Amino acid sequence: MTGAVDLSVCNTLGLHASAEHLVVIEKESQLFDLLAAGDLTKRPFQVLGGGSNVVLRPHLPGTVVLMRTRGIRWERGARGFINVTAAAGEPWHDLVRYTLGQGWSGLENLALIPGSVGAAPMQNIGAYGVELADRLVSLRALDLDDGSIRVFDRDACGFGYRDSRFRAHDADRFIVIEITLGLSEKPRPMVGYPDLRDELQMMGCGEPSAVQIAEAVIRVRRRKLPDPRFQGNAGSFFKNPVLPTAQAEQLSQRHPHLSLRESGHGMVKLSAAQLIDRCGWKGKQNGRAGVWQRQPLVLINLGGATAAEVLHLADAIRHDVASRYGVDLEIEPRILGQD
Ligand code: EPU
């Protein structure tokens, strides 16, 4: 599709943006047709999945590829694992529901995360004590540098907290085609996350099934996070800062109220929500962009917001947190396009 194409329904923040060229991929073979025509080697290009982790500025030059491929298949793997392979364009939560419906566990903590399967490895989606890296076996991707198909096992993906090679040094080089996850017929409940534990207790679930865990996660998410269908947002707008233990301890001496969580390798995770909350940002607005009252990590579109308004609000929050706590907040969504 050529000519400026409106992308406001293709991003969960609901920002108005136009793409110079838009290509909708419904079959894997279309990717190779585009490659043969030279369309995918013309940079800039951007891949959009569910558009749930992006801030779109008004103009996206070049080609925007919308991944809408569907399909889920599975086979029995080693040690009782079920290997489930899903196409990049599948909505993430549809995949979670499908696997729960089959009686498999592994994705229940990741229920109701907006976005597509292909976007999940980009920022290594995670919630309630589980992240994609814990379940990913491998992924298949098209390498735009030479047109080859590459298979990456988990270790080759360079996963970190909300990070992977695909959003870091290899950004825009690969198009994820499908991912394979290792799930289990035996329940493997991960219910240590305080919010989840409390919710399950309220539901009266002593030994919860995968479906009950997903139900609890969905309840907590619905309570805390705005539904992008009704209130434009891109989930957590900031990452939780991860600091060396010594630095975190110094900070905690000055600010004893701060909650710190061990994050391994001599590092400690702070709660960005708490820092933003303490700075008094809940419910604040900049033009038509605002801070979600129930989870200040989430910035919302109050209706007709521009990327500039959202980013200006984010900058004001970052400056405030940096000047009060000396902590740099990193923005989680990718910022794409031009003003
Ligand atoms: N908090 C406050 N004030 C608030 C809300 C939270 O002080 O208004 C503090 C509390 O101390 C709370 C802590 O923040 O205990 C943590 O809050 P929460 O459990 O809601 O999780 P989070 O660390 O803020 C992360 C992810 C979420 C994910 C939840 C649950 C990031 C950037 N965000 O948020 O992911 O759903 O944990 O696992 O890691 C997303 O990435 O889009 C996302 C929503």
Side-chain angles (χ1 to χ4, degrees):
M1 216 184 279
T2 51
V5 186
D6 181 30
L7 294 177
S8 42
V9 296
C10 302
N11 72 101
T12 59
L13 256 169
L15 300 175
H16 280 287
S18 61
E20 198 176 332
H21 304 285
L22 181 73
V23 181
V24 183
I25 302 289
E26 290 174 331
K27 285 196 210 116
E28 191 179 320
S29 60
Q30 286 173 268
L31 280 178
F32 298 97
D33 298 342
L34 285 170
L35 199 62
D39 286 358
L40 289 182
T41 46
K42 278 188 223 131
R43 314 278 173 96
F45 86 90
Q46 296 296 337
V47 180
L48 277 187
S52 60
N53 204 41
V54 290
V55 179
L56 300 186
R57 289 199 162 107
H59 305 289
L60 275 84
T63 304
V64 171
V65 175
L66 266 192
M67 288 301 282
R68 293 292 180 263
T69 50
R70 303 297 295 257
I72 301 175
R73 59 184 197 278
W74 61 275
E75 58 181 19
R76 283 183 197 281
R79 290 176 286 121
F81 276 95
I82 312 283
N83 286 337
V84 181
T85 299
E90 285 286 339
W92 174 261
H93 186 62
D94 288 6
L95 172 63
V96 175
R97 277 205 313 229
Y98 171 84
T99 61
L100 290 170
Q102 296 283 342
W104 303 329
S105 68
L107 301 186
E108 55 277 14
N109 297 52
L110 303 176
L112 211 64
I113 295 182
S116 65
V117 161
M122 295 291 148
Q123 78 265 24
N124 184 20
I125 57 169
Y128 306 102
V130 175
E131 54 185 22
L132 184 80
D134 300 325
R135 302 290 177 257
L136 190 113
V137 175
S138 63
L139 65 79
R140 218 156 62 83
L142 174 64
D143 186 343
L144 295 172
D145 277 0
D146 61 8
S148 65
I149 293 287
R150 299 267 305 267
V151 176
F152 297 91
D153 65 15
R154 189 198 33 199
D155 290 345
C157 291
F159 286 130
Y161 165 58
R162 292 297 193 276
D163 200 19
S164 74
R165 69 186 291 166
F166 308 108
R167 69 169 265 158
H169 55 277
D170 278 332
D172 302 332
R173 174 170 166 191
F174 296 102
I175 297 182
V176 174
I177 294 173
E178 60 185 21
I179 73 173
T180 299
L181 304 170
L183 306 183
S184 164
E185 278 174 323
K186 287 197 206 98
R188 297 182 290 176
M190 298 278 293
V191 293
Y193 200 93
D195 272 354
L196 179 55
R197 208 179 43 217
D198 296 349
E199 192 66 31
L200 285 164
Q201 217 162 25
M202 264 182 331
M203 289 164 62
C205 300
E207 283 180 34
S209 65
V211 169
Q212 286 169 325
I213 293 171
E215 178 59 33
V217 166
I218 289 169
R219 287 182 189 210
V220 177
R221 289 188 75 96
R222 289 221 165 107
R223 217 168 35 233
K224 286 193 153 188
L225 299 168
D227 183 336
R229 286 174 304 174
F230 310 116
Q231 182 80 76
N233 76 90
S236 297
F237 207 86
F238 303 97
K239 293 187 189 184
N240 286 322
V242 182
L243 306 180
T245 306
Q247 192 185 336
E249 276 166 3
Q250 276 176 7
L251 192 66
S252 143
Q253 273 164 13
R254 269 180 282 136
H255 306 282
H257 57 269
L258 290 183
S259 46
L260 312 176
R261 260 180 294 161
E262 281 300 321
S263 127
H265 309 289
M267 305 295 277
V268 169
K269 207 184 253 183
L270 297 183
S271 161
Q274 191 189 33
L275 296 171
I276 298 169
D277 190 1
R278 287 268 168 176
C279 290
W281 281 96
K282 270 184 175 173
K284 290 272 168 67
Q285 286 174 226
N286 171 57
R288 292 156 291 178
V291 180
W292 185 241
Q293 185 71 37
R294 276 173 266 158
Q295 169 47 293
L297 260 188
V298 179
L299 302 191
I300 54 173
N301 181 351
L302 294 157
T306 62
E309 285 171 325
V310 175
L311 294 172
H312 190 268
L313 178 60
D315 269 352
I317 293 171
R318 291 180 66 205
H319 275 108
D320 202 9
V321 169
S323 68
R324 289 188 202 207
Y325 291 99
V327 174
D328 273 334
L329 291 184
E330 195 185 327
I331 287 180
E332 191 187 312
R334 288 188 71 195
I335 301 162
L336 305 179
Q338 305 167 347
D339 286 324

Coordinates of all heavy atoms in Angstrom, one line a residue, residues 53 113-114 123 126-129 161-162 193 195 221 224-225 234-240 259 261 269-275 277-278 282 292-298 332, ligand 1:
N53 N 4.2 -1.2 22.2 CA 5.4 -0.8 22.9 C 6.2 0.2 22.1 O 7.4 0.2 22.0 CB 6.3 -2.0 23.2 CG 7.2 -1.8 24.4 OD1 6.8 -1.2 25.4 ND2 8.5 -2.2 24.2
I113 N -1.0 -9.7 28.4 CA -0.1 -8.7 27.9 C -0.5 -8.3 26.5 O -0.6 -9.2 25.7 CB 1.4 -9.3 28.0 CG1 1.8 -9.6 29.4 CG2 2.4 -8.3 27.3 CD1 3.2 -10.1 29.6
P114 N -0.6 -7.0 26.3 CA -1.0 -6.6 24.9 C 0.2 -6.9 23.9 O 1.3 -7.1 24.4 CB -1.2 -5.1 25.0 CG -1.1 -4.8 26.4 CD -0.4 -5.9 27.2
Q123 N 11.4 -7.1 23.5 CA 11.7 -6.5 24.9 C 11.5 -7.6 25.9 O 11.4 -7.2 27.1 CB 10.8 -5.3 25.2 CG 9.4 -5.5 25.6 CD 8.4 -5.5 24.4 OE1 8.8 -5.6 23.3 NE2 7.2 -5.2 24.7
G126 N 7.6 -9.6 30.2 CA 7.7 -10.2 31.5 C 6.6 -9.7 32.4 O 6.2 -8.5 32.3
A127 N 6.1 -10.5 33.3 CA 5.2 -10.1 34.3 C 5.0 -11.2 35.4 O 5.1 -12.4 35.1 CB 3.8 -9.8 33.7
Y128 N 4.8 -10.7 36.6 CA 4.5 -11.6 37.8 C 5.5 -12.7 37.9 O 5.2 -13.9 38.1 CB 3.1 -12.0 37.7 CG 2.2 -10.8 37.6 CD1 1.6 -10.4 36.4 CD2 2.0 -10.0 38.7 CE1 0.9 -9.3 36.3 CE2 1.3 -8.8 38.6 CZ 0.8 -8.5 37.4 OH 0.1 -7.3 37.3
G129 N 6.8 -12.4 37.8 CA 7.9 -13.3 38.1 C 8.3 -14.2 36.9 O 9.2 -15.1 37.1
Y161 N 16.7 -7.9 31.1 CA 15.5 -7.3 31.6 C 14.9 -6.3 30.6 O 15.5 -5.3 30.2 CB 15.7 -6.6 32.9 CG 14.6 -5.7 33.4 CD1 13.3 -6.1 33.6 CD2 14.9 -4.3 33.6 CE1 12.3 -5.3 34.0 CE2 13.9 -3.5 34.0 CZ 12.6 -3.9 34.2 OH 11.6 -3.1 34.6
R162 N 13.8 -6.7 30.0 CA 13.1 -5.9 28.9 C 14.1 -5.5 27.8 O 14.1 -4.4 27.2 CB 12.5 -4.6 29.5 CG 11.4 -4.7 30.4 CD 10.2 -5.4 29.7 NE 9.0 -5.2 30.5 CZ 8.6 -6.1 31.5 NH1 9.4 -7.1 31.7 NH2 7.5 -5.9 32.1
Y193 N 5.3 -13.7 43.3 CA 5.1 -12.3 43.2 C 4.0 -11.8 44.1 O 2.9 -12.3 44.0 CB 4.8 -12.0 41.7 CG 5.1 -10.6 41.3 CD1 6.3 -10.2 40.8 CD2 4.1 -9.6 41.5 CE1 6.6 -8.9 40.4 CE2 4.4 -8.3 41.1 CZ 5.6 -7.9 40.6 OH 5.8 -6.6 40.2
D195 N 1.7 -9.4 44.5 CA 0.3 -9.2 44.0 C -0.4 -10.4 43.6 O -1.6 -10.6 43.9 CB 0.4 -8.3 42.8 CG 0.4 -6.8 43.1 OD1 0.3 -6.5 44.3 OD2 0.6 -6.0 42.2
R221 N -4.1 -7.3 36.6 CA -3.8 -6.4 35.5 C -5.0 -5.5 35.2 O -4.9 -4.3 35.0 CB -3.5 -7.2 34.2 CG -2.1 -7.9 34.3 CD -1.7 -8.5 33.0 NE -1.3 -7.4 32.0 CZ -0.1 -7.1 31.8 NH1 0.9 -7.7 32.4 NH2 0.2 -6.1 30.9
K224 N -5.2 -2.8 37.8 CA -4.1 -1.8 37.9 C -3.8 -1.1 36.6 O -3.3 0.1 36.6 CB -2.8 -2.5 38.3 CG -2.7 -2.9 39.7 CD -1.3 -3.3 40.0 CE -1.0 -3.1 41.5 NZ 0.4 -3.3 41.8
L225 N -4.0 -1.8 35.5 CA -3.5 -1.2 34.2 C -4.7 -0.8 33.3 O -5.7 -1.6 33.2 CB -2.7 -2.3 33.5 CG -1.4 -2.7 34.2 CD1 -0.8 -4.0 33.6 CD2 -0.4 -1.6 34.3
A234 N 0.9 2.5 26.5 CA 1.9 1.5 26.0 C 2.4 0.7 27.1 O 3.6 0.4 27.1 CB 3.0 2.3 25.2
G235 N 1.6 0.4 28.1 CA 2.1 -0.4 29.3 C 3.1 0.4 30.0 O 3.0 1.7 30.0
S236 N 4.0 -0.2 30.7 CA 5.0 0.5 31.5 C 5.8 1.4 30.5 O 6.4 0.9 29.5 CB 6.0 -0.5 32.1 OG 5.4 -1.3 33.0
F237 N 5.8 2.7 30.8 CA 6.6 3.6 30.0 C 8.0 3.7 30.3 O 8.9 4.1 29.5 CB 5.9 5.0 30.1 CG 6.1 5.8 28.8 CD1 5.3 5.7 27.7 CD2 7.2 6.6 28.7 CE1 5.5 6.4 26.6 CE2 7.5 7.4 27.5 CZ 6.6 7.2 26.5
F238 N 8.3 3.3 31.6 CA 9.7 3.3 32.1 C 10.1 1.9 32.5 O 9.3 1.2 33.1 CB 9.9 4.3 33.2 CG 9.5 5.7 32.9 CD1 8.2 6.1 33.2 CD2 10.3 6.5 32.2 CE1 7.8 7.4 32.9 CE2 9.9 7.8 31.9 CZ 8.6 8.3 32.2
K239 N 11.4 1.6 32.4 CA 11.9 0.3 33.0 C 12.2 0.6 34.5 O 12.5 1.7 34.9 CB 13.2 -0.1 32.3 CG 13.1 -0.4 30.9 CD 14.5 -1.0 30.4 CE 14.5 -1.2 29.0 NZ 15.8 -1.8 28.6
N240 N 12.1 -0.5 35.2 CA 12.6 -0.4 36.6 C 14.1 -0.2 36.6 O 14.8 -1.1 36.0 CB 12.1 -1.6 37.4 CG 10.6 -1.6 37.7 OD1 10.1 -0.6 38.0 ND2 10.0 -2.8 37.7
S259 N 11.7 0.7 48.1 CA 11.8 -0.7 48.1 C 12.8 -1.2 47.1 O 12.8 -0.7 45.9 CB 10.4 -1.3 47.9 OG 9.7 -0.7 46.8
R261 N 14.7 -4.6 45.3 CA 14.6 -6.1 45.1 C 15.9 -6.6 44.5 O 16.4 -6.0 43.5 CB 13.4 -6.4 44.1 CG 12.2 -6.8 44.8 CD 11.1 -7.1 43.8 NE 10.7 -5.8 43.1 CZ 10.0 -5.8 41.9 NH1 9.7 -6.9 41.3 NH2 9.7 -4.7 41.4
K269 N 17.1 -4.0 41.9 CA 16.1 -3.4 41.1 C 15.3 -2.4 42.0 O 14.8 -2.8 43.1 CB 15.2 -4.4 40.5 CG 14.5 -4.0 39.2 CD 13.6 -5.0 38.7 CE 14.1 -5.8 37.5 NZ 13.2 -6.7 36.9
L270 N 15.1 -1.2 41.5 CA 14.2 -0.3 42.2 C 12.9 -0.2 41.5 O 12.8 -0.6 40.4 CB 14.8 1.2 42.2 CG 16.1 1.5 42.8 CD1 16.4 3.0 42.6 CD2 16.1 1.1 44.3
S271 N 11.9 0.3 42.2 CA 10.5 0.4 41.6 C 10.4 1.8 41.0 O 10.3 2.8 41.7 CB 9.5 0.1 42.7 OG 8.2 0.7 42.2
A272 N 10.4 1.8 39.7 CA 10.2 3.1 39.0 C 8.8 3.7 39.4 O 8.7 4.9 39.6 CB 10.3 2.9 37.5
A273 N 7.8 2.8 39.5 CA 6.5 3.3 39.9 C 6.5 4.0 41.3 O 5.9 5.1 41.4 CB 5.5 2.1 40.0
Q274 N 7.3 3.5 42.2 CA 7.4 4.1 43.5 C 8.1 5.5 43.4 O 7.7 6.4 44.0 CB 8.2 3.2 44.5 CG 8.1 3.6 45.9 CD 9.0 2.8 46.8 OE1 10.1 2.4 46.4 NE2 8.6 2.6 48.0
L275 N 9.2 5.5 42.6 CA 9.9 6.8 42.5 C 9.0 7.9 41.9 O 8.9 9.0 42.4 CB 11.1 6.6 41.6 CG 12.2 5.7 42.1 CD1 13.3 5.4 41.0 CD2 12.9 6.2 43.3
D277 N 5.7 7.9 41.8 CA 4.6 8.1 42.8 C 5.1 9.1 43.9 O 4.4 10.1 44.1 CB 4.2 6.7 43.4 CG 3.0 6.8 44.2 OD1 2.4 7.8 44.3 OD2 2.6 5.7 44.8
R278 N 6.3 8.8 44.4 CA 6.8 9.7 45.5 C 7.0 11.1 45.0 O 7.0 12.0 45.8 CB 8.1 9.1 46.0 CG 8.0 7.9 46.8 CD 7.9 8.3 48.3 NE 7.4 7.2 49.1 CZ 7.3 7.3 50.4 NH1 7.7 8.4 51.0 NH2 6.9 6.2 51.1
K282 N 1.2 10.9 40.0 CA 0.0 10.2 39.7 C -1.1 11.2 39.2 O -1.4 12.2 39.9 CB -0.5 9.5 40.9 CG 0.0 8.1 41.1 CD -0.6 7.5 42.3 CE -0.2 6.1 42.4 NZ -0.7 5.5 43.7
W292 N -1.2 7.5 34.6 CA -2.3 6.7 35.1 C -2.3 6.7 36.6 O -1.3 6.5 37.3 CB -2.1 5.3 34.5 CG -3.2 4.3 34.8 CD1 -3.1 3.1 35.5 CD2 -4.6 4.4 34.4 NE1 -4.3 2.5 35.6 CE2 -5.2 3.2 34.9 CE3 -5.3 5.3 33.7 CZ2 -6.6 3.0 34.7 CZ3 -6.6 5.1 33.4 CH2 -7.3 3.9 33.9
Q293 N -3.5 6.9 37.1 CA -3.7 7.1 38.6 C -3.3 5.8 39.4 O -2.7 5.9 40.4 CB -5.1 7.5 38.8 CG -5.5 7.8 40.2 CD -4.9 9.1 40.7 OE1 -4.8 10.1 40.0 NE2 -4.4 9.2 42.0
R294 N -3.6 4.7 38.8 CA -3.4 3.4 39.6 C -2.1 2.8 39.4 O -1.7 1.8 40.1 CB -4.5 2.4 39.3 CG -5.8 2.7 40.1 CD -6.9 1.9 39.6 NE -7.7 2.5 38.6 CZ -8.5 1.9 37.8 NH1 -8.5 0.6 37.7 NH2 -9.2 2.6 36.9
Q295 N -1.3 3.2 38.4 CA 0.0 2.7 38.2 C 0.8 3.8 37.4 O 0.7 3.9 36.2 CB -0.1 1.4 37.4 CG 1.2 0.8 36.8 CD 2.4 0.7 37.8 OE1 2.9 1.8 38.2 NE2 2.8 -0.5 38.2
P296 N 1.6 4.6 38.2 CA 2.2 5.7 37.5 C 3.3 5.4 36.5 O 3.8 6.4 35.9 CB 2.7 6.6 38.7 CG 2.8 5.6 39.8 CD 1.9 4.5 39.6
L297 N 3.6 4.1 36.4 CA 4.6 3.8 35.3 C 3.9 3.9 33.9 O 4.6 3.9 32.9 CB 4.9 2.3 35.5 CG 6.2 1.8 36.1 CD1 6.4 0.3 36.0 CD2 7.3 2.6 35.5
V298 N 2.6 4.0 33.9 CA 1.9 4.0 32.6 C 1.5 5.4 32.3 O 0.8 6.1 33.0 CB 0.6 3.1 32.8 CG1 -0.2 3.1 31.5 CG2 1.0 1.7 33.2
E332 N 10.8 2.7 28.2 CA 10.7 1.3 27.7 C 10.3 1.2 26.2 O 10.9 0.5 25.4 CB 9.8 0.5 28.5 CG 9.9 -1.0 28.2 CD 8.9 -1.9 28.9 OE1 8.7 -1.8 30.1 OE2 8.3 -2.7 28.2
Ligands
EPU1 N1 4.1 1.2 43.4 C1 4.0 2.4 44.0 N2 2.9 3.2 43.6 C2 2.1 2.8 42.7 C3 2.2 1.5 42.1 C4 3.3 0.8 42.5 O1 4.8 2.8 44.8 O2 1.1 3.5 42.4 C5 5.3 0.4 43.8 C6 4.9 -0.6 44.9 O3 6.0 -0.6 45.8 C7 4.8 -1.9 44.2 C8 5.9 -1.7 43.1 O4 5.8 -0.3 42.7 O5 5.1 -2.9 45.0 C9 5.8 -2.6 42.0 O6 4.6 -2.4 41.3 P1 4.0 -3.5 40.4 O7 4.0 -4.8 41.1 O8 2.7 -3.0 39.8 O9 5.0 -3.8 39.2 P2 6.0 -2.8 38.5 O10 7.4 -3.2 38.9 O11 5.7 -1.4 38.6 C10 6.5 -4.5 36.5 C11 6.4 -4.5 35.0 C12 5.0 -4.6 34.5 C13 4.4 -5.9 35.0 C14 4.5 -5.9 36.6 C15 4.1 -7.2 37.2 C16 8.3 -3.2 34.2 C17 8.8 -1.9 33.7 N3 7.0 -3.3 34.5 O12 5.8 -3.3 36.9 O13 5.1 -4.7 33.1 O14 3.1 -6.1 34.6 O15 5.9 -5.7 37.0 O16 5.0 -8.1 37.0 O17 9.1 -4.1 34.5 C18 4.9 -3.6 31.0 O18 6.1 -3.9 30.8 O19 4.2 -2.9 30.2 C19 4.3 -3.9 32.3 C20 3.1 -3.5 32.6

